[in-house]
Amino acid sequence: MTETPTWTAAARTLADKVTANAPGWHEAVSNTPRHKLVPRWWQRIPNSTAQQWELVNPPEDSAELLHAAYTDETLVTRVGPAHADHAAPGEHGKGDPTSSSTLPGLIVSMAHRLDVQPGQRLLDVGTGSGYSAALFALRFGDDNVTSVDVDPYLVEAARKRLAEFGRTPRLEAIDATGDLPESEYDRIMATVSVRPVPPTWLRALRPGGRVVTTIAHTALLITADMGADGVARGTVQPDPATFMETRQEADYPGKLDDVFVTARVREGEDVRPPEGAIPDLWQEWPLRWLFELDTPGVETRAATYPDDGRRVAWLLAADGSWARAEDGTSPLVHQGGPRRLWDDLERVRRTWEEHNRFSLHSMRAELSPQGSYLLSPDDSWRFPI
């Protein structure tokens, strides 16, 4: 009698957990050896001051590997330009994550929303480790699944590892914001965030087709169905999802540290009290995401002064605009550069309050190759995406 591989029990336990609301995916999760796709990864070094990561390289089929692979967690496989596969023992990575194996529960939740039907053609944007492609291929057949990633190494590694357990979906190394490998798809799911929603996706999506994606620098998850008029209409989903943004280079552009040096302590060209309380943008995420939709590309930082507990928030932009807001007994806002970023934030907050602080998942999406938008519930506030 052939002994059952030890990973199968772990995979079934994971499937029991992550497919409770999507039982159709239980078999796929139970029979996909995630540990074969993510043999090593980066782990953030706690309290590191420069976003440092240590390599986790457990022995093949070890308890440590199986525990990590079949826990519902994201495993970061690439930091900056450095993939964990290429790191030497003891080597440290530095920077922002640039690829990962997304937590299985989120993949299953999005795949469930995608509602793929037998025989439909599927585009999986963001191959990464190949885990989502493996799930789709097992359930719907290799010939119906195309998976793409901008990184040629990721594609080749996923292709090799998928083939080791019999999965052979089509994999291509391309920039998915441009031309696609096929001209028509019934379903498109992206595990990278985008803005704008690529027109090529919408031109390739058949009438009745569905796209599930997130908007860059927010956790807004959108599901939209393509109409006969060439416009995909849908909504923001109630559960947020955060993904790395699409990229064309080996790494993302650097942080705005030069602007921060100016904004950190300099007297502003414009100094005034704030309108109302200074928001905690890391807790008041609906406001932060509305601000991102309205005024894209603003970097947010925050700190608490250790001597008196005062909070301070910074807004930074690549054009040199900056704002610093300090609370306390006499709150002040300092602003400099060509734009007044805190004015923009307060304008967004006022407008949202005028709209009764609507829930973000009540927003509608209208996506077309000519232009895509998120709309407030009364359609009076439109954000290009």
Side-chain angles (χ1 to χ4, degrees), residues 107-128:
I107 294 294
V108 168
S109 175
M110 292 176 66
H112 180 61
R113 281 198 167 87
L114 199 63
D115 192 30
V116 184
Q117 300 300 309
Q120 290 185 330
R121 298 172 64 86
L122 164 73
L123 178 65
D124 169 45
V125 181
T127 304

Side-chain angles (χ1 to χ4, degrees), residues 51 53 76 78-81 94-99 251-253 255:
Q51 288 187 292
W53 304 73
V76 174
R78 194 174 183 276
V79 175
K94 183 178 179 180
D96 289 325
T98 48
S99 189
D251 199 357
Y252 295 110
K255 301 292 186 181

Side-chain angles (χ1 to χ4, degrees), residues 143-165:
D143 292 343
N144 292 318
V145 178
T146 297
S147 185
V148 298
D149 201 292
V150 73
D151 189 324
Y153 173 74
L154 294 177
V155 170
E156 288 308 311
R159 191 194 317 277
K160 178 181 177 181
R161 289 165 178 166
L162 287 165
E164 288 175 355
F165 53 92

Side-chain angles (χ1 to χ4, degrees), residues 175-219:
D175 175 1
T177 64
D179 293 336
L180 301 176
E182 301 284 348
S183 60
E184 291 187 326
Y185 295 94
D186 299 288
R187 297 289 189 269
I188 299 175
M189 188 178 94
T191 51
V192 289
S193 64
V194 294
R195 188 174 187 185
V197 178
T200 51
W201 297 9
L202 302 168
R203 285 193 287 266
L205 193 60
R206 291 172 173 162
R210 176 170 292 182
V211 58
V212 176
T213 188
T214 52
I215 303 306
H217 305 294
T218 76

